[in-house]
Amino acid sequence: MAMYVLGAGSLGCLWAAHLAKSAACHPTLLLRAGSAKLRHLKDGRVRLRVIRAERVLEVEVGAEEVNRSPATSDIHQLLLVTKAPAAREALLQVAPRLAAGAVVIILCNGALALHEEISEMPASQRWHLMCGLTTHGAWSKADFEVVHAGAGDTIFGQYGAVRMSEETYESTLAQLLAAGLGGRHEAHIERSLWLKLAANAAINPLTALLEKNNGCILEEEQISRCKEICKEVAAVAAASWHQQGFASLCPSAAEMEDFALDTARRTSPNRSSMLQDVLAERPTEIDYLNGWLVTKARTFGLEVAENAQLTALIKEKERRFLEPKA
Ligand code: KPL
């Protein structure tokens, strides 16, 4: 079965390389129309290099421009690994190629916010959405060359109103798990997505503001900020779950804090993706993490002062490099 990977950044290359190695499916990387990375393609293929400590994995995978054959509905499985702010536009480009009933696996940071955004796209009514979360840390050394800096885990689950058949779900999951990047099915994926959101809401903006690796979250001052952030995330999660009527599965503030600190511990030498974005002067994912929480909190009449302040500070930092200089 062909698995298309939308997004050729660090996570996209990491997944494409491991999927190719597993031979459980044939991955094809989809590149943005007009991407400068297209120049590396030879006969519709590209060589990926993944560096993990002393070991180097080198494999060839298929690669093509996202809208190469716009008139055909040839894509049945799509792993979405773009940056959250780029996901909607990328999906719009690929939409004509997605077959009815195609499985779209959202494996981006900010998956809760992104799932909400994608569900509002009319075309998404024809797709089956799966969500995943991964705590692997990776960064791009060069085009198609990735350093797999922190081994993490990956969890997948069905999420959304349109459910796929058990058979489709099981076969998609088997291919993803064969990649060997950890992974298991989670019946209550929403619970894990909130835990991951708490980890990203704490680690990403704090490391980006301090310009330090993930391990800095384990310093005393940052632990107490992490606690406050998680308390606010848990309050928004509780309000959201209460509205949906199954509040008993909602993770507590203490569980969120444990998860965030454990993630910081396991990925301590890593640069968070937000720190990488800031250093490369790229737009960050803040609107899909703390920014989304602030908006959500408002709809429930809740105050999330710590998350609001972090959102404002990251936006201020972004403005300094994104706005044209006078
Ligand atoms: O998801 C991450 C990110 O950097 O965006 C973590 C898990 C924090 C790893 O760095």
Side-chain angles (χ1 to χ4, degrees):
M1 187 64 129
M3 171 87 67
Y4 287 80
V5 179
L6 184 54
S10 53
L11 213 51
C13 291
L14 178 73
W15 273 88
H18 280 266
L19 285 167
K21 194 185 99 192
S22 81
C25 66
H26 303 288
T28 298
L29 270 174
L30 293 176
L31 308 185
R32 208 171 11 90
S35 164
K37 291 181 183 171
L38 287 162
R39 72 185 189 283
H40 299 287
L41 269 58
K42 274 204 194 92
D43 300 327
R45 302 193 68 76
V46 73
R47 197 156 188 81
L48 301 178
R49 252 170 82 81
V50 176
I51 304 159
R52 170 115 185 84
E54 305 297 299
R55 291 207 308 272
V56 179
L57 165 65
E58 281 202 54
V59 284
E60 259 195 15
V61 301
E64 62 192 43
E65 204 165 353
V66 70
N67 52 359
R68 196 192 66 161
S69 37
T72 53
S73 303
D74 56 343
I75 300 182
H76 296 270
Q77 291 179 319
L78 184 79
L79 182 62
L80 179 65
V81 275
T82 57
K83 287 279 176 190
R88 188 173 182 280
E89 185 53 41
L91 271 176
L92 283 173
Q93 287 190 12
V94 81
R97 291 182 62 183
L98 282 167
V103 180
V104 176
I105 307 134
I106 305 170
L107 192 63
C108 312
N109 275 344
L112 284 165
L114 207 49
H115 184 275
E116 210 171 81
E117 187 176 86
I118 292 171
S119 302
E120 280 163 15
M121 293 168 65
S124 75
Q125 306 311 314
R126 301 167 52 243
W127 313 330
H128 290 124
L129 297 183
M130 242 170 103
C131 272
L133 63 99
T134 184
T135 50
H136 284 277
W139 55 276
S140 292
K141 201 170 170 195
D143 288 352
F144 304 114
E145 183 169 0
V146 174
V147 178
H148 187 186
D153 197 8
T154 312
I155 297 171
F156 295 100
Q158 282 210 60
Y159 189 45
V162 190
R163 294 277 156 160
M164 67 194 90
S165 72
E166 202 60 22
E167 196 187 341
T168 307
Y169 179 71
E170 291 297 334
S171 88
T172 309
L173 189 66
Q175 292 168 56
L176 293 166
L177 300 194
L181 289 168
R184 60 190 155 84
H185 160 69
E186 169 65 66
H188 303 292
I189 187 74
E190 192 175 5
R191 191 182 145 76
S192 307
L193 293 175
W194 277 99
L195 287 169
K196 176 73 176 2
L197 177 64
N200 284 132
I203 298 172
N204 294 28
L206 290 176
T207 53
L209 290 169
L210 296 165
E211 301 198 358
K212 287 185 175 174
N213 291 352
N214 292 0
C216 76
I217 302 301
L218 305 168
E219 292 162 11
E220 209 172 306
E221 190 183 334
Q222 305 317 325
I223 290 182
S224 58
R225 293 189 79 181
C226 180
K227 197 187 226 91
E228 276 311 302
I229 295 163
C230 290
K231 219 193 271 174
E232 293 180 357
V233 180
V236 180
S240 166
W241 285 53
H242 185 73
Q243 194 180 51
Q244 294 169 48
F246 48 105
S248 62
L249 292 168
C250 182
S252 66
E255 284 175 292
M256 290 188 180
E257 190 190 329
D258 283 350
F259 185 82
L261 293 178
D262 186 51
T263 304
R265 210 168 287 122
R266 283 192 294 114
T267 62
S268 64
N270 265 30
R271 279 183 179 170
S272 75
S273 55
M274 196 172 285
L275 174 55
Q276 292 178 46
D277 289 338
V278 160
L279 295 176
E281 305 202 335
R282 290 187 297 249
T284 72
E285 297 182 311
I286 195 75
D287 285 337
Y288 291 80
L289 303 172
N290 312 69
W292 180 75
L293 272 163
V294 174
T295 312
K296 259 285 170 283
R298 217 170 280 141
T299 66
F300 298 122
L302 293 170
E303 249 219 78
V304 286
E306 191 72 29
N307 280 282
Q309 192 199 26
L310 287 172
T311 306
L313 288 171
I314 291 292
K315 282 187 169 288
E316 175 55 32
K317 206 169 168 84
E318 268 182 344
R319 249 191 306 276
R320 276 182 242 146
F321 55 76
L322 289 181
E323 273 180 12
K325 311 236 175 343

PDB file of all heavy atoms in Angstrom, residues 66-91:
ATOM      1  N   VAL A  66       3.293  18.220  -4.651  1.00  0.00           N
ATOM      2  CA  VAL A  66       1.987  17.856  -4.106  1.00  0.00           C
ATOM      3  C   VAL A  66       0.876  17.785  -5.165  1.00  0.00           C
ATOM      4  O   VAL A  66       0.013  16.909  -5.114  1.00  0.00           O
ATOM      5  CB  VAL A  66       1.630  18.826  -2.950  1.00  0.00           C
ATOM      6  CG1 VAL A  66       1.331  20.216  -3.423  1.00  0.00           C
ATOM      7  CG2 VAL A  66       0.507  18.299  -2.122  1.00  0.00           C
ATOM      8  N   ASN A  67       0.922  18.697  -6.145  1.00  0.00           N
ATOM      9  CA  ASN A  67      -0.168  18.732  -7.135  1.00  0.00           C
ATOM     10  C   ASN A  67       0.276  18.174  -8.492  1.00  0.00           C
ATOM     11  O   ASN A  67      -0.162  18.634  -9.533  1.00  0.00           O
ATOM     12  CB  ASN A  67      -0.698  20.158  -7.295  1.00  0.00           C
ATOM     13  CG  ASN A  67       0.413  21.148  -7.566  1.00  0.00           C
ATOM     14  OD1 ASN A  67       1.579  20.752  -7.618  1.00  0.00           O
ATOM     15  ND2 ASN A  67       0.077  22.405  -7.732  1.00  0.00           N
ATOM     16  N   ARG A  68       1.133  17.161  -8.444  1.00  0.00           N
ATOM     17  CA  ARG A  68       1.677  16.619  -9.685  1.00  0.00           C
ATOM     18  C   ARG A  68       0.590  16.061 -10.606  1.00  0.00           C
ATOM     19  O   ARG A  68       0.575  16.278 -11.795  1.00  0.00           O
ATOM     20  CB  ARG A  68       2.703  15.527  -9.379  1.00  0.00           C
ATOM     21  CG  ARG A  68       3.568  15.208 -10.567  1.00  0.00           C
ATOM     22  CD  ARG A  68       4.352  13.960 -10.364  1.00  0.00           C
ATOM     23  NE  ARG A  68       3.469  12.793 -10.278  1.00  0.00           N
ATOM     24  CZ  ARG A  68       3.857  11.558 -10.448  1.00  0.00           C
ATOM     25  NH1 ARG A  68       5.109  11.308 -10.702  1.00  0.00           N
ATOM     26  NH2 ARG A  68       3.018  10.563 -10.357  1.00  0.00           N
ATOM     27  N   SER A  69      -0.329  15.284 -10.027  1.00  0.00           N
ATOM     28  CA  SER A  69      -1.402  14.739 -10.869  1.00  0.00           C
ATOM     29  C   SER A  69      -2.753  15.119 -10.266  1.00  0.00           C
ATOM     30  O   SER A  69      -3.428  14.296  -9.662  1.00  0.00           O
ATOM     31  CB  SER A  69      -1.272  13.229 -11.001  1.00  0.00           C
ATOM     32  OG  SER A  69      -0.835  12.666  -9.777  1.00  0.00           O
ATOM     33  N   PRO A  70      -3.123  16.411 -10.410  1.00  0.00           N
ATOM     34  CA  PRO A  70      -4.298  16.919  -9.708  1.00  0.00           C
ATOM     35  C   PRO A  70      -5.615  16.266 -10.112  1.00  0.00           C
ATOM     36  O   PRO A  70      -6.583  16.318  -9.361  1.00  0.00           O
ATOM     37  CB  PRO A  70      -4.298  18.420 -10.015  1.00  0.00           C
ATOM     38  CG  PRO A  70      -3.444  18.578 -11.210  1.00  0.00           C
ATOM     39  CD  PRO A  70      -2.482  17.438 -11.231  1.00  0.00           C
ATOM     40  N   ALA A  71      -5.655  15.669 -11.295  1.00  0.00           N
ATOM     41  CA  ALA A  71      -6.954  15.154 -11.753  1.00  0.00           C
ATOM     42  C   ALA A  71      -7.250  13.749 -11.238  1.00  0.00           C
ATOM     43  O   ALA A  71      -8.339  13.241 -11.410  1.00  0.00           O
ATOM     44  CB  ALA A  71      -6.982  15.170 -13.276  1.00  0.00           C
ATOM     45  N   THR A  72      -6.280  13.102 -10.592  1.00  0.00           N
ATOM     46  CA  THR A  72      -6.523  11.714 -10.166  1.00  0.00           C
ATOM     47  C   THR A  72      -6.719  11.627  -8.654  1.00  0.00           C
ATOM     48  O   THR A  72      -6.071  12.326  -7.889  1.00  0.00           O
ATOM     49  CB  THR A  72      -5.323  10.811 -10.530  1.00  0.00           C
ATOM     50  OG1 THR A  72      -4.157  11.427  -9.984  1.00  0.00           O
ATOM     51  CG2 THR A  72      -5.166  10.636 -12.016  1.00  0.00           C
ATOM     52  N   SER A  73      -7.640  10.762  -8.243  1.00  0.00           N
ATOM     53  CA  SER A  73      -7.856  10.550  -6.800  1.00  0.00           C
ATOM     54  C   SER A  73      -7.019   9.360  -6.390  1.00  0.00           C
ATOM     55  O   SER A  73      -7.523   8.270  -6.154  1.00  0.00           O
ATOM     56  CB  SER A  73      -9.326  10.272  -6.525  1.00  0.00           C
ATOM     57  OG  SER A  73     -10.084  11.316  -7.011  1.00  0.00           O
ATOM     58  N   ASP A  74      -5.691   9.553  -6.351  1.00  0.00           N
ATOM     59  CA  ASP A  74      -4.804   8.407  -6.178  1.00  0.00           C
ATOM     60  C   ASP A  74      -4.307   8.210  -4.754  1.00  0.00           C
ATOM     61  O   ASP A  74      -3.587   7.267  -4.480  1.00  0.00           O
ATOM     62  CB  ASP A  74      -3.606   8.545  -7.137  1.00  0.00           C
ATOM     63  CG  ASP A  74      -2.846   9.864  -6.937  1.00  0.00           C
ATOM     64  OD1 ASP A  74      -3.406  10.778  -6.312  1.00  0.00           O
ATOM     65  OD2 ASP A  74      -1.699   9.959  -7.391  1.00  0.00           O
ATOM     66  N   ILE A  75      -4.680   9.102  -3.854  1.00  0.00           N
ATOM     67  CA  ILE A  75      -4.123   8.980  -2.501  1.00  0.00           C
ATOM     68  C   ILE A  75      -5.173   8.409  -1.540  1.00  0.00           C
ATOM     69  O   ILE A  75      -6.254   8.972  -1.375  1.00  0.00           O
ATOM     70  CB  ILE A  75      -3.603  10.351  -2.007  1.00  0.00           C
ATOM     71  CG1 ILE A  75      -2.505  10.855  -2.952  1.00  0.00           C
ATOM     72  CG2 ILE A  75      -3.108  10.262  -0.574  1.00  0.00           C
ATOM     73  CD1 ILE A  75      -1.864  12.156  -2.563  1.00  0.00           C
ATOM     74  N   HIS A  76      -4.826   7.287  -0.911  1.00  0.00           N
ATOM     75  CA  HIS A  76      -5.752   6.636   0.021  1.00  0.00           C
ATOM     76  C   HIS A  76      -5.287   6.760   1.470  1.00  0.00           C
ATOM     77  O   HIS A  76      -6.067   6.559   2.381  1.00  0.00           O
ATOM     78  CB  HIS A  76      -5.919   5.153  -0.356  1.00  0.00           C
ATOM     79  CG  HIS A  76      -6.554   4.986  -1.704  1.00  0.00           C
ATOM     80  ND1 HIS A  76      -7.914   4.888  -1.875  1.00  0.00           N
ATOM     81  CD2 HIS A  76      -6.012   4.950  -2.950  1.00  0.00           C
ATOM     82  CE1 HIS A  76      -8.183   4.787  -3.166  1.00  0.00           C
ATOM     83  NE2 HIS A  76      -7.044   4.834  -3.842  1.00  0.00           N
ATOM     84  N   GLN A  77      -3.984   7.039   1.634  1.00  0.00           N
ATOM     85  CA  GLN A  77      -3.440   7.188   2.988  1.00  0.00           C
ATOM     86  C   GLN A  77      -2.487   8.371   3.003  1.00  0.00           C
ATOM     87  O   GLN A  77      -1.557   8.427   2.195  1.00  0.00           O
ATOM     88  CB  GLN A  77      -2.632   5.946   3.380  1.00  0.00           C
ATOM     89  CG  GLN A  77      -3.497   4.730   3.570  1.00  0.00           C
ATOM     90  CD  GLN A  77      -2.638   3.539   3.941  1.00  0.00           C
ATOM     91  OE1 GLN A  77      -1.554   3.340   3.387  1.00  0.00           O
ATOM     92  NE2 GLN A  77      -3.115   2.747   4.869  1.00  0.00           N
ATOM     93  N   LEU A  78      -2.728   9.289   3.914  1.00  0.00           N
ATOM     94  CA  LEU A  78      -1.898  10.488   3.961  1.00  0.00           C
ATOM     95  C   LEU A  78      -1.458  10.757   5.394  1.00  0.00           C
ATOM     96  O   LEU A  78      -2.294  10.901   6.294  1.00  0.00           O
ATOM     97  CB  LEU A  78      -2.693  11.692   3.443  1.00  0.00           C
ATOM     98  CG  LEU A  78      -1.915  13.000   3.358  1.00  0.00           C
ATOM     99  CD1 LEU A  78      -1.029  13.016   2.115  1.00  0.00           C
ATOM    100  CD2 LEU A  78      -2.854  14.195   3.308  1.00  0.00           C
ATOM    101  N   LEU A  79      -0.145  10.801   5.583  1.00  0.00           N
ATOM    102  CA  LEU A  79       0.392  11.148   6.898  1.00  0.00           C
ATOM    103  C   LEU A  79       0.726  12.640   6.872  1.00  0.00           C
ATOM    104  O   LEU A  79       1.593  13.078   6.104  1.00  0.00           O
ATOM    105  CB  LEU A  79       1.652  10.306   7.166  1.00  0.00           C
ATOM    106  CG  LEU A  79       2.336  10.483   8.521  1.00  0.00           C
ATOM    107  CD1 LEU A  79       1.423  10.076   9.671  1.00  0.00           C
ATOM    108  CD2 LEU A  79       3.620   9.639   8.584  1.00  0.00           C
ATOM    109  N   LEU A  80       0.023  13.416   7.690  1.00  0.00           N
ATOM    110  CA  LEU A  80       0.196  14.870   7.684  1.00  0.00           C
ATOM    111  C   LEU A  80       1.215  15.265   8.748  1.00  0.00           C
ATOM    112  O   LEU A  80       0.944  15.136   9.951  1.00  0.00           O
ATOM    113  CB  LEU A  80      -1.163  15.534   7.958  1.00  0.00           C
ATOM    114  CG  LEU A  80      -1.197  17.054   8.028  1.00  0.00           C
ATOM    115  CD1 LEU A  80      -0.851  17.682   6.687  1.00  0.00           C
ATOM    116  CD2 LEU A  80      -2.552  17.556   8.499  1.00  0.00           C
ATOM    117  N   VAL A  81       2.381  15.738   8.298  1.00  0.00           N
ATOM    118  CA  VAL A  81       3.450  16.090   9.241  1.00  0.00           C
ATOM    119  C   VAL A  81       4.039  17.475   8.935  1.00  0.00           C
ATOM    120  O   VAL A  81       5.215  17.724   9.176  1.00  0.00           O
ATOM    121  CB  VAL A  81       4.586  15.030   9.247  1.00  0.00           C
ATOM    122  CG1 VAL A  81       4.301  13.895  10.161  1.00  0.00           C
ATOM    123  CG2 VAL A  81       4.883  14.534   7.848  1.00  0.00           C
ATOM    124  N   THR A  82       3.204  18.342   8.403  1.00  0.00           N
ATOM    125  CA  THR A  82       3.669  19.715   8.163  1.00  0.00           C
ATOM    126  C   THR A  82       3.696  20.445   9.504  1.00  0.00           C
ATOM    127  O   THR A  82       3.211  19.938  10.511  1.00  0.00           O
ATOM    128  CB  THR A  82       2.672  20.482   7.270  1.00  0.00           C
ATOM    129  OG1 THR A  82       1.394  20.458   7.926  1.00  0.00           O
ATOM    130  CG2 THR A  82       2.552  19.876   5.889  1.00  0.00           C
ATOM    131  N   LYS A  83       4.196  21.649   9.502  1.00  0.00           N
ATOM    132  CA  LYS A  83       4.014  22.546  10.639  1.00  0.00           C
ATOM    133  C   LYS A  83       2.523  22.883  10.709  1.00  0.00           C
ATOM    134  O   LYS A  83       1.867  23.029   9.647  1.00  0.00           O
ATOM    135  CB  LYS A  83       4.802  23.846  10.395  1.00  0.00           C
ATOM    136  CG  LYS A  83       6.281  23.663  10.523  1.00  0.00           C
ATOM    137  CD  LYS A  83       6.612  23.700  11.979  1.00  0.00           C
ATOM    138  CE  LYS A  83       8.065  23.430  12.213  1.00  0.00           C
ATOM    139  NZ  LYS A  83       8.335  23.229  13.633  1.00  0.00           N
ATOM    140  N   ALA A  84       2.008  23.043  11.908  1.00  0.00           N
ATOM    141  CA  ALA A  84       0.574  23.283  12.053  1.00  0.00           C
ATOM    142  C   ALA A  84       0.056  24.468  11.206  1.00  0.00           C
ATOM    143  O   ALA A  84      -0.967  24.323  10.518  1.00  0.00           O
ATOM    144  CB  ALA A  84       0.213  23.466  13.522  1.00  0.00           C
ATOM    145  N   PRO A  85       0.748  25.629  11.190  1.00  0.00           N
ATOM    146  CA  PRO A  85       0.190  26.748  10.427  1.00  0.00           C
ATOM    147  C   PRO A  85       0.154  26.491   8.909  1.00  0.00           C
ATOM    148  O   PRO A  85      -0.568  27.168   8.188  1.00  0.00           O
ATOM    149  CB  PRO A  85       1.135  27.922  10.733  1.00  0.00           C
ATOM    150  CG  PRO A  85       1.903  27.517  11.938  1.00  0.00           C
ATOM    151  CD  PRO A  85       1.971  26.024  11.936  1.00  0.00           C
ATOM    152  N   ALA A  86       0.951  25.527   8.437  1.00  0.00           N
ATOM    153  CA  ALA A  86       0.997  25.266   6.988  1.00  0.00           C
ATOM    154  C   ALA A  86       0.046  24.145   6.582  1.00  0.00           C
ATOM    155  O   ALA A  86      -0.159  23.891   5.385  1.00  0.00           O
ATOM    156  CB  ALA A  86       2.426  24.886   6.590  1.00  0.00           C
ATOM    157  N   ALA A  87      -0.560  23.475   7.553  1.00  0.00           N
ATOM    158  CA  ALA A  87      -1.309  22.239   7.257  1.00  0.00           C
ATOM    159  C   ALA A  87      -2.539  22.477   6.378  1.00  0.00           C
ATOM    160  O   ALA A  87      -2.779  21.735   5.418  1.00  0.00           O
ATOM    161  CB  ALA A  87      -1.731  21.581   8.568  1.00  0.00           C
ATOM    162  N   ARG A  88      -3.307  23.519   6.691  1.00  0.00           N
ATOM    163  CA  ARG A  88      -4.564  23.731   5.962  1.00  0.00           C
ATOM    164  C   ARG A  88      -4.280  23.977   4.478  1.00  0.00           C
ATOM    165  O   ARG A  88      -4.902  23.364   3.605  1.00  0.00           O
ATOM    166  CB  ARG A  88      -5.318  24.917   6.581  1.00  0.00           C
ATOM    167  CG  ARG A  88      -6.696  25.099   6.033  1.00  0.00           C
ATOM    168  CD  ARG A  88      -7.481  26.167   6.769  1.00  0.00           C
ATOM    169  NE  ARG A  88      -8.805  26.247   6.206  1.00  0.00           N
ATOM    170  CZ  ARG A  88      -9.090  26.886   5.090  1.00  0.00           C
ATOM    171  NH1 ARG A  88      -8.132  27.527   4.441  1.00  0.00           N
ATOM    172  NH2 ARG A  88     -10.321  26.893   4.610  1.00  0.00           N
ATOM    173  N   GLU A  89      -3.322  24.862   4.212  1.00  0.00           N
ATOM    174  CA  GLU A  89      -2.973  25.202   2.829  1.00  0.00           C
ATOM    175  C   GLU A  89      -2.451  23.957   2.094  1.00  0.00           C
ATOM    176  O   GLU A  89      -2.808  23.697   0.944  1.00  0.00           O
ATOM    177  CB  GLU A  89      -1.910  26.321   2.857  1.00  0.00           C
ATOM    178  CG  GLU A  89      -1.509  26.880   1.510  1.00  0.00           C
ATOM    179  CD  GLU A  89      -2.690  27.334   0.665  1.00  0.00           C
ATOM    180  OE1 GLU A  89      -3.628  27.944   1.230  1.00  0.00           O
ATOM    181  OE2 GLU A  89      -2.667  27.038  -0.560  1.00  0.00           O
ATOM    182  N   ALA A  90      -1.614  23.181   2.783  1.00  0.00           N
ATOM    183  CA  ALA A  90      -1.052  21.972   2.164  1.00  0.00           C
ATOM    184  C   ALA A  90      -2.170  20.976   1.848  1.00  0.00           C
ATOM    185  O   ALA A  90      -2.185  20.353   0.779  1.00  0.00           O
ATOM    186  CB  ALA A  90      -0.024  21.350   3.097  1.00  0.00           C
ATOM    187  N   LEU A  91      -3.123  20.845   2.762  1.00  0.00           N
ATOM    188  CA  LEU A  91      -4.238  19.917   2.528  1.00  0.00           C
ATOM    189  C   LEU A  91      -5.122  20.384   1.368  1.00  0.00           C
ATOM    190  O   LEU A  91      -5.632  19.574   0.603  1.00  0.00           O
ATOM    191  CB  LEU A  91      -5.096  19.785   3.790  1.00  0.00           C
ATOM    192  CG  LEU A  91      -4.668  18.706   4.773  1.00  0.00           C
ATOM    193  CD1 LEU A  91      -5.538  18.750   6.017  1.00  0.00           C
ATOM    194  CD2 LEU A  91      -4.748  17.304   4.144  1.00  0.00           C
TER     195      LEU A  91
END
